[in-house]
Structures are given as C-alpha cells and as structure tokens.
C-alpha cells in the first residue's frame, strides 16, 4: 500500500488463497538501467581528466551495492578491443582496480592480470596495468593516477618499462586462492557472445583522444547492449520435449466435461464496514515500538490467516519495516508474505536491502525465501550488503559474530537452492578467503568447492 493511502481504503482484488507473486522491478544482476549506462559512458569519456578524479567520481556516483554490476558491465566492454579506444580502456581498468578498498576482496583482479599479460594488447595498456598491479601498496599507483589517460599515452616512458611475468603477478595477489578453476558446463561452453564484429565495418573508432563522428552512434549501441542483452552471452536453450501421452486402457474412467452455468451472486457486505482492522492496526502499531507478548503475536498471525486482506488495513508502511523487523521478526515475515502482491513491494525490498544488518533481518529474509518467491535481484543485493557490512565493521568481536551469521545464512540459501551459486561465486569466495580464520567461513568455502 502507498505510505499515504488511508487505512480504510479498499485493497486490490485478489483470490482468497495466498496470492502468487508478480514480477518485481528488480533488474537481473547483469543488466543495467539507462541512467547507469549514461554515467558509465560519461566516466569513460573523460580522457583528459586526471585518473584519480575519474575514479573519485565513479566511487561517488556508484553506491557499493551497485559496483559489482558496474564492474561486470566494464568487463563486458573490455573483452572486445573494438568497443573503446586505448585511452578509454585505461580509464575502465583504473575504475576496476580502484573500485574496491581491498585488492584481496576485488573480484576483478584475475581479469586485470590476464589483460596485463595479454600479448595481443598494445604495450601502453599492458605497462599501465602492470604499474597498477605491481604498486598496489605503494605510491607509484597514486602517481600514475594523477595523470590523465591522454597525458599517459603521450609520454614515451612506457616503452622502456620491463613487463613482469604472469607468475610473479599471481604470487603477489595470491591469484590461485582468489580465482580457482571453476567448473564450466557444456551448455555454458557453447554460449555465443553478444558482440560479433562486422567484417564490412572498420573495427576502430579512430583516435580515442579526438572526438570521432562515430562516437555517439557507438555509445548508443553499447548502451543498448548493456540494457537489453545478458552480459554472459546467448546460451543454447535446454530442450525438454513433452512426454508422450499414455494409451487409454479398457475400463478406464472417462473424463466428464460439465457445463459451468453459474449465476452471479452479489456480495452484500462489500464496502459495508469502514472500521475494518482496528484491532490488528493497534497491534501492528505496538509491534513497531516494542516486542509483543506471545498471545498478541498469535492474534496478529491468526487474524491475517483468516483474512489476508487485513494486511492493507493494519497501517503498515515501508518506513515502519525496520522497527517491526527488529522487535517482532515473525510478524514481519507474515506481513511481508501477505504484501507480496502489493504495488509498493519493491519499496519494502529496498528497505530490507539498506537497513542495518542484524540477526533478525537475516532471519526475516531467510524465512521469506521459503515462504514466497523472492526476486533474484533482491537476494543478490541483500547478500552483497551483508558482505560489505562485515568488511566495514571495526569491532573484531562483532565482526566475527556477523561473519558467522552471514556464513550460516548463505549455507542455508545454497542448500535449499534458493540462489544460483554461479551468480555470486566470485564475491562469496573472496569473502570466505578474507575471513578464512573463522570456522564457519571455512565451512562455506568447502561447500562452494564441493559444488564446482
């Protein structure tokens, strides 16, 4: 219901049974919105700006929970050298490298190492990447980021730079622990990439330091690719032919198609009661201020079970959800499961993602995953927020406690097949390695390895 909707207004029509969930506006993990594509292309076009200013602009515009999505989009455009010029590619690599405060938690370090050792790439690009990677903990990376991409390409100093071998870069970043060889199914191996070069069109958009007439057209094409196509490519469909029908045996009962001639009946109680839900509205209001006694909790759950439409008359709004989750998580689960068809359900999902992580909030999300069908984008964003909260907390005792809770929560989701492990494999594995000293994190890592 809308935050300004009157408590006595009529709810949308729905069947008496538990309603089926409608598709949410949460976007798939790989696709991007139009405004996000515009921000990304604008950042990549700043070839004359100092790299540290572009990176600072990137960190300010993109919240932490969206950086993995932006990183996947940048990885997509970097895989084909035809999409952007050399200076724009340097900006993209700098954002991938500086997008995470800890390089051990950066899921794109293997991509940077592969690009730095790619002999088909231009030498200025390889030198730039190796300077970033080899000076991650020193001052050289800060010095190179003070230059713009255009100024860096004008300097001839990269011609005399000695390139480090791959094994030395991997030892420096412990790449073998961060990015092990993962299992690739035959269906995934047969994936066709979305971008196929046209042999009749030049694959170069000119000097990236100049404004090319083809640049606006290129930006439109890249934005359409990031919005409308899956970044993982086009996979072959699983063919599931319908099973053959069984032969009809003698003596088998015949199906009867009865005539359904029903008369319409008028509901005389419709719009008759204006004070509906006064009792449950009072109890939900108390539940947002403090814990209810067991008898009151049972009354709320019982009233909603008898008539689920009362959830639209209980005075619940997205702004009250954090208090209800912390004081009465069981009531929060029951209310959210009844509101799953509400037009404002995305607002409730957004509140759950951005509220402070706690045992009660994870309990609510875990119970919701088994009670109703939740959008995959919401679950992924909530997991990313949990991992980020564990990394940012300063108190070691509280950090260890939250890490244990998150590991148990993720194991429950994986064992119940609520999430697809491949979508979050890199991020969760990096989380396990960062907190490998904790027993639950080591158990989660072993579970991930067993699923490869």
């Amino acid at each position: 219901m809308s935050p300004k909707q009157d408590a006595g207004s009529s709810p949308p029509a729905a069947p008496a049974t538990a309603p089926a969930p409608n598709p949410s506006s949460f976007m798939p993990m790989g696709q991007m919105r139009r405004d996000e594509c515009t921000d990304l292309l604008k950042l990549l076009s700043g070839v004359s700006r100092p790299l540290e200013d572009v990176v600072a602009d990137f960190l300010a515009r993109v919240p932490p929970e969206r950086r993995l999505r932006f990183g996947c989009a940048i990885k997509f455009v970097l895989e084909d050298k035809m999409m952007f010029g050399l200076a724009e590619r340097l900006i993209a690599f700098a954002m991938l490298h500086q997008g995470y405060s800890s390089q051990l938690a950066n899921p794109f370090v293997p991509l940077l190492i592969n690009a730095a050792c790619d002999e088909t790439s231009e030498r200025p690009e390889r030198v730039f990447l190796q300077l970033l990677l080899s000076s991650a903990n020193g001052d050289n990376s800060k010095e190179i980021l003070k230059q713009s991409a255009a100024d860096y390409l004008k300097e001839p100093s990269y011609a005399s730079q000695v390139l480090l071998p791959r094994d030395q870069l991997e030892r420096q970043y412990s790449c073998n622990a961060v990015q092990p060889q993962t299992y690739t199914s035959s269906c995934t191996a047969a994936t066709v990439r979305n971008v196929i070069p046209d042999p009749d069109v030049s694959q170069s958009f000119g000097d990236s330091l100049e404004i090319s007439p083809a640049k606006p057209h290129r930006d439109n094409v890249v934005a359409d690719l990031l919005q409308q196509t899956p970044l993982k490519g086009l996979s072959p469909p699983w063919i599931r032919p319908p099973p053959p029908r069984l032969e009809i045996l003698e003596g088998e009962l015949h199906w009867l198609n009865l005539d359904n001639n029903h008369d319409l009946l008028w509901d005389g109680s419709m719009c008759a009661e204006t004070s509906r839900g006064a009792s449950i509205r009072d109890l939900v209001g108390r539940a947002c201020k403090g814990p209810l006694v067991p008898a009151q909790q049972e009354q709320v759950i019982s009233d909603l079970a008898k008539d689920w439409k009362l959830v639209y008359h209980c005075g619940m709004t997205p702004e009250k959800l954090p208090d209800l989750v912390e004081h009465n998580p069981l009531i929060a689960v029951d209310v959210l499961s009844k509101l799953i068809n509400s037009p404002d359900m995305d607002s409730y999902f957004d509140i759950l993602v951005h509220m402070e992580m706690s045992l009660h909030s994870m309990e609510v999300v875990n119970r919701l995953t088994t009670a109703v069908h939740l959008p995959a984008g919401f679950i992924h964003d909530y997991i990313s927020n949990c991992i980020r909260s564990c990394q940012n907390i300063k108190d070691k005792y509280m950090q260890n406690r939250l890490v244990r809770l998150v590991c148990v929560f993720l194991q429950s989701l994986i064992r119940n097949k609520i999430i697809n492990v491949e979508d979050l494999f890199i991020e969760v594995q990096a989380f396990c390695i960062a907190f490998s000293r904790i027993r639950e994190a080591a158990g989660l890592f072993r579970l991930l390895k067993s699923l490869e």
Side-chain angles (χ1 to χ4, degrees):
M1 59 183 286
S2 173
K4 297 182 180 180
Q5 184 178 350
D6 189 83
S9 59
S10 299
T17 57
N22 289 332
S24 171
S25 63
F26 271 85
M27 302 187 66
M29 197 64 180
Q31 297 177 352
M32 299 183 67
R33 299 191 297 263
R34 169 63 67 175
D35 58 329
E36 292 178 332
C37 295
T38 302
D39 289 343
L40 176 59
L41 294 173
K42 185 176 181 180
L43 290 171
L44 294 179
S45 63
V47 297
S48 300
R49 299 176 59 194
L51 290 173
E52 61 181 2
D53 290 350
V54 178
V55 170
D57 198 3
F58 167 72
L59 298 178
R61 291 190 183 193
V62 183
E65 64 269 14
R66 298 288 185 183
R67 288 176 193 166
L68 181 62
R69 177 177 295 175
F70 266 76
C72 293
I74 295 174
K75 175 179 179 292
F76 175 78
V77 299
L78 287 175
E79 288 178 350
D80 283 292
K81 299 182 178 63
M82 60 173 288
M83 285 194 182
F84 289 99
L86 182 56
E88 295 165 317
R89 289 175 60 84
L90 297 186
I91 296 176
F93 282 122
M95 289 192 296
L96 283 183
H97 183 267
Q98 298 293 316
Y100 290 80
S101 58
S102 171
Q103 292 304 315
L104 290 178
N106 191 338
F108 299 103
V109 166
L111 170 67
L112 299 176
I113 294 178
N114 290 335
C117 302
D118 185 4
E119 297 181 357
T120 63
S121 300
E122 298 187 37
R123 183 177 179 83
E125 178 180 309
R126 297 181 62 192
V127 172
F128 177 81
L129 284 169
Q130 294 215 4
L131 287 175
L132 282 181
L133 292 170
S134 61
S135 58
N137 298 322
D139 296 330
N140 293 335
S141 62
K142 298 180 180 178
E143 293 297 328
I144 195 173
L145 291 176
K146 292 180 180 179
Q147 295 179 306
S148 67
D151 294 339
Y152 168 79
L153 293 176
K154 292 177 182 178
E155 293 185 0
S157 58
Y158 57 76
S160 59
Q161 180 72 26
V162 178
L163 297 177
L164 299 178
R166 175 187 291 270
D167 56 351
Q168 185 172 347
L169 293 175
E170 290 179 344
R171 285 196 303 270
Q172 179 178 351
Y173 280 89
S174 301
C175 185
N176 293 333
V178 175
Q179 181 73 1
Q181 295 295 329
T182 57
Y183 169 74
T184 302
S185 64
S186 57
C187 185
T188 304
T191 299
V192 178
R193 184 163 167 76
N194 296 330
V195 180
I196 300 177
D198 188 346
D200 297 330
V201 178
S202 172
Q203 296 187 12
S204 175
F205 286 96
D207 189 354
S208 61
L209 305 182
E210 301 177 356
I211 302 299
S212 171
K215 185 177 184 301
H217 176 66
R218 178 204 65 181
D219 290 349
N220 291 335
V221 173
V222 172
D224 290 341
L225 283 172
L226 294 178
Q227 291 179 89
Q228 302 175 9
T229 59
L231 301 186
K232 293 183 179 180
L234 305 176
S235 302
W238 286 98
I239 299 177
R240 299 179 176 89
R245 298 181 63 181
L246 298 176
E247 297 181 0
I248 300 178
L249 303 178
E250 294 184 3
E252 193 171 355
L253 294 177
H254 293 279
W255 183 268
L256 299 179
N257 294 316
L258 302 178
D259 294 332
N260 294 326
N261 296 324
H262 300 296
D263 295 330
L264 295 178
L265 296 179
W266 179 259
D267 185 7
S269 62
M270 185 171 56
C271 301
E273 184 181 359
T274 58
S275 61
R276 187 179 184 187
S279 175
I280 193 172
R281 189 184 307 117
D282 178 67
L283 288 176
V284 170
R286 296 183 184 180
C288 294
K289 298 178 182 178
L292 297 181
V293 298
Q296 292 174 326
Q297 293 185 17
E298 292 176 2
Q299 182 179 350
V300 173
I301 296 175
S302 176
D303 290 344
L304 290 178
K306 293 177 182 177
D307 185 2
W308 67 271
K309 294 181 182 179
L310 287 176
V311 75
Y312 295 101
H313 303 273
C314 67
M316 189 62 196
T317 62
E319 291 76 15
K320 298 179 181 179
L321 182 61
D323 294 332
L324 182 62
V325 168
E326 291 302 321
H327 296 308
N328 296 276
L330 294 180
I331 295 180
V333 171
D334 201 54
V335 169
L336 290 175
S337 63
K338 300 295 188 299
L339 284 171
I340 195 67
N341 269 353
S342 171
D344 293 325
M345 194 60 204
D346 286 340
S347 300
Y348 290 99
F349 285 147
D350 192 66
I351 292 293
L352 279 176
V353 168
H354 294 96
M355 70 179 291
E356 183 178 359
M357 188 188 72
S358 65
L359 173 61
H360 286 173
S361 68
M362 281 191 288
E363 179 185 2
V364 168
V365 175
N366 189 37
R367 288 178 179 271
L368 280 177
T369 57
T370 58
V372 295
H373 177 73
L374 298 177
F378 159 72
I379 299 178
H380 294 168
D381 288 347
Y382 183 81
I383 293 174
S384 299
N385 179 61
C386 291
I387 293 176
R388 188 175 63 258
S389 299
C390 293
Q391 294 170 345
N392 294 339
I393 192 170
K394 303 300 181 183
D395 189 331
K396 288 295 183 182
Y397 173 78
M398 290 301 300
Q399 185 183 57
N400 293 344
R401 184 172 180 268
L402 290 180
V403 168
R404 292 189 180 95
L405 293 176
V406 172
C407 290
V408 174
F409 173 67
L410 289 175
Q411 289 181 25
S412 175
L413 294 181
I414 294 173
R415 290 195 172 97
N416 292 329
K417 298 182 179 180
I418 301 298
I419 59 173
N420 186 0
V421 182
E422 294 181 359
D423 294 340
L424 294 167
F425 187 86
I426 296 177
E427 188 175 9
V428 174
Q429 185 175 239
F431 168 78
C432 294
I433 293 174
F435 298 100
S436 58
R437 68 182 185 277
I438 299 176
R439 182 180 59 184
E440 287 77 2
L444 177 59
F445 184 81
R446 288 193 297 270
L447 177 60
L448 292 177
K449 297 293 290 182
S450 66
L451 297 176
E452 292 184 3

